Amino acid sequence: ACTNENIQLKTNTPIGNFEAFWNIIDQKYCFIEDKQVDWQQIYTDFKPKVDTLDQKQERELFYKKDIKNCWE
């Protein structure tokens, strides 16, 4: 975590956005270990959910609700 490398973003799709989001937190967020969050497990658990989201509202709720709960 906490690198200065540029993150190459993928296409603007639900999967591409999730991948970009996950990589940004993985590579740029310095305090992930302090939060005691297994970030790799988050990917494993949530990637299949993202694969099934087809509505914009569903995707927004996913980030606002599901991902937010990981930090609490």
Side-chain angles (χ1 to χ4, degrees):
C2 251
T3 66
N4 288 328
E5 298 174 22
N6 289 331
I7 296 173
Q8 188 168 5
L9 301 177
K10 299 183 183 192
T11 59
N12 188 17
T13 65
I15 301 300
N17 291 336
F18 176 78
E19 295 276 345
F21 167 78
W22 190 88
N23 282 309
I24 288 167
I25 298 297
D26 187 53
Q27 295 176 20
K28 301 284 186 182
Y29 185 65
C30 298
F31 304 106
I32 193 83
E33 292 172 5
D34 293 341
K35 296 283 188 178
Q36 298 180 355
V37 172
D38 182 344
W39 196 240
Q40 184 60 53
Q41 190 62 48
I42 298 296
Y43 184 90
T44 301
D45 291 346
F46 287 99
K47 172 86 169 37
K49 288 183 179 183
V50 173
D51 289 336
T52 65
L53 300 176
D54 57 358
Q55 301 286 326
K56 182 180 178 186
Q57 291 175 332
E58 289 177 336
R59 293 189 300 269
E60 289 173 357
L61 281 174
F62 169 75
Y63 286 103
K64 288 179 182 175
K65 180 182 167 205
D66 293 335
I67 295 295
K68 181 182 177 211
N69 288 336
C70 296
W71 304 106
E72 298 174 344

